[in-house]
Amino acid sequence: MKETIGGNLTRYRKSLHLSQEQLAEIVGITRQSINNYEKAKTLPDSKTLSALARALNITIDDLLRTESEGLPNFRFRAHASFGNNPQFAAQVLRMLETYNNLEQAVGLPSYAPESTPCHQVEGNEKRIAEIASRLRRCLGLGEAPIFNLFETVEEIGLKVLRHPFPIKDFFGLSACSAEQGAFVLVNSHNITIERQLFTLAHEIGHLICHRGEYQDTLVEEGTKEEEKAREKVANHFAGYLLLPQAEFERMYQLTTNIIRLKQHFRVSYQVILTRLAQMEVIDYAKERAKICAVYKKQHGSSLKNSMELPPAVKPEDFPENERYQQLIWQALKLGKISEMKAAELLDLTVEKLRVHRQEAEVYAIS
């Protein structure tokens, strides 16, 4: 136990670029005490352990968890800072554990999409389109546009959470294990709904095509070439999931207006341009440059890569984490979690939770 706490304390402290003196000052103890904890000479008492966790933006469980109890079979969109960001890894693990515990509490089985390995786009374009088409059939979509992909995949049991992470260029990650099923985390921090939808589709592509390459750490392994190939496959899959080819060709015959096409399919204009470029109808770079020039002339500012060409989809049409919240209420109703725990998970006070609970009972159909 001393070694576990000492190692974790050192790792989390260094990730925040805190010296032993600085951490000691925040917690209200001596630098020598911090040194003794990190060298596994002494154990902090419960009060000090709680103060250390708060100072390091983690939980007591994170300090007590061994590295072998890490993230289950994880793959994620590579980001250089993850290897030096154990707080992020700990937060993701807590999210996974909480979601899994809620599913188990209400008796729901785990779910993961069928694995179909595919490691490169070249020579596999039709195969990737068929993999996406197969998932669409599983979702009962046919060739129709997807009104809300979050809701659609949650209905078949995929665990999805949207959460604001202020991490540059991080859009999402996915996890899967035989016992816990599949999980997708989507970053919602200053990211358009269209981009969030693409991230979800992209990560589902990884879950289906690259399941065998998932690993136990958030630090990406493999060569850059291998990762680029995986990303390209996931991007192709996402495009075909969001834009079924037959329906896209039908709509493109009716209108070549980018705005109308993106509104019909509820995707970003860049997804539309990418598909047209794949069909060799346009030159992506030239078409985007033209759109950006028109946008700047109309709005007086540049259309950045992180922005969406208006009109964007309405955020109110995509409420966050509905399945997750429903599981919390179900677990509470079944007596599997306390009011205090439910309030914590829903980010409510206990008083507000009780008000919501009373309103739900009043309007419930008996």
Side-chain angles (χ1 to χ4, degrees):
M1 180 63 72
K2 289 180 182 179
E3 289 76 12
T4 297
I5 292 176
N8 286 335
L9 187 57
T10 303
R11 190 158 50 94
Y12 289 122
R13 174 180 63 78
K14 288 184 176 180
S15 73
L16 295 178
H17 306 290
L18 292 174
S19 66
Q20 289 184 341
E21 290 85 351
Q22 289 171 321
L23 179 58
E25 183 177 350
I26 294 170
V27 176
I29 57 178
T30 65
R31 185 206 65 81
Q32 188 59 47
S33 293
I34 298 292
N35 186 63
N36 287 340
Y37 300 151
E38 292 188 355
K39 291 187 178 299
K41 292 181 178 179
T42 58
L43 276 172
D45 58 32
S46 58
K47 182 179 179 181
T48 303
L49 197 64
S50 179
L52 287 167
R54 285 196 303 273
L56 296 170
N57 298 322
I58 54 174
T59 67
I60 292 176
D61 285 343
D62 296 329
L63 283 174
L64 300 178
R65 182 180 287 114
T66 64
E67 288 197 65
S68 62
E69 299 176 282
L71 297 160
N73 302 324
F74 242 86
R75 80 88 38 213
F76 72 105
R77 183 184 295 273
H79 192 283
S81 69
F82 287 166
N84 299 316
N85 195 343
Q87 276 84 353
F88 172 80
Q91 185 176 5
V92 171
L93 180 55
R94 290 196 299 273
M95 289 177 165
L96 265 171
E97 289 177 332
T98 300
Y99 211 139
N100 289 328
N101 290 340
L102 287 170
E103 281 191 333
Q104 292 171 8
V106 302
L108 288 181
S110 61
Y111 166 82
E114 181 182 349
S115 176
T116 307
C118 183
H119 304 291
Q120 66 178 38
V121 170
E122 291 73 20
N124 290 310
E125 291 87 348
K126 290 183 178 179
R127 183 163 178 256
I128 295 170
E130 175 52 35
I131 293 171
S133 180
R134 187 168 65 228
L135 179 61
R136 289 183 67 90
R137 290 194 295 272
C138 177
L139 295 170
L141 295 171
E143 293 288 310
I146 306 175
F147 182 78
N148 184 335
L149 183 61
F150 295 108
E151 183 179 88
T152 301
V153 296
E154 284 181 326
E155 286 178 354
I156 62 171
L158 182 66
K159 291 183 279 289
V160 180
L161 277 179
R162 294 154 69 192
H163 187 84
F165 290 99
I167 302 176
K168 186 179 179 181
D169 297 330
F170 168 64
F171 297 102
L173 57 80
S174 54
C176 191
S177 73
E179 299 79 18
Q180 298 171 328
F183 171 83
V184 176
L185 180 64
V186 176
N187 190 4
S188 61
H189 181 72
N190 295 333
I191 297 174
T192 65
I193 297 294
E194 288 89 345
R195 186 63 180 85
Q196 292 179 46
L197 289 166
F198 186 84
T199 294
L200 175 57
H202 176 97
E203 292 300 332
I204 293 173
H206 281 306
L207 282 166
I208 293 174
C209 298
H210 307 132
R211 184 99 46 91
E213 298 163 34
Y214 281 37
Q215 55 198 49
D216 296 331
T217 172
L218 278 172
V219 179
E220 187 63 44
E221 295 178 351
T223 66
K224 288 185 178 180
E225 289 73 22
E226 289 172 336
E227 176 58 16
K228 284 181 180 179
R230 288 193 291 262
E231 292 296 289
K232 194 173 180 180
V233 168
N235 283 339
H236 263 66
F237 172 88
Y240 281 111
L241 180 64
L242 297 170
L243 300 177
Q245 188 64 22
E247 174 64 7
F248 184 76
E249 290 177 357
R250 185 188 74 82
M251 283 300 300
Y252 189 65
Q253 289 177 352
L254 296 175
T255 178
T256 59
N257 186 295
I258 298 295
I259 299 295
R260 291 178 183 173
L261 288 171
K262 87 181 200 71
Q263 285 181 300
H264 179 74
F265 290 102
R266 300 170 75 83
V267 297
S268 73
Y269 78 95
Q270 294 181 71
V271 170
I272 299 293
L273 294 184
T274 298
R275 174 57 57 82
L276 291 173
Q278 290 169 349
M279 294 167 60
E280 299 183 348
V281 173
I282 64 166
D283 180 293
Y284 181 94
K286 289 182 179 179
E287 195 66 29
R288 186 172 185 277
K290 185 176 76 174
I291 289 173
C292 289
V294 172
Y295 181 91
K296 189 168 186 177
K297 185 176 181 180
Q298 291 178 340
H299 300 274
S301 58
S302 298
L303 179 63
K304 297 180 181 178
N305 200 42
S306 60
M307 297 167 59
E308 182 50 50
L309 193 65
V313 296
K314 299 177 181 178
E316 54 266 30
D317 288 339
F318 298 86
E320 290 192 7
N321 306 328
E322 285 192 305
R323 181 177 186 265
Y324 176 74
Q325 293 175 17
Q326 289 168 2
L327 289 176
I328 296 170
W329 287 109
Q330 289 176 35
L332 178 61
K333 185 176 181 180
L334 293 171
K336 301 295 184 178
I337 59 175
S338 66
E339 283 190 333
M340 185 173 293
K341 184 62 178 178
E344 175 193 337
L345 294 176
L346 292 167
D347 196 22
L348 297 171
T349 64
V350 173
E351 291 72 21
K352 285 188 176 180
L353 177 105
R354 288 171 178 167
V355 170
H356 286 304
R357 200 174 183 184
Q358 289 172 353
E359 289 176 348
E361 290 172 354
V362 168
Y363 292 106
I365 299 174
S366 57

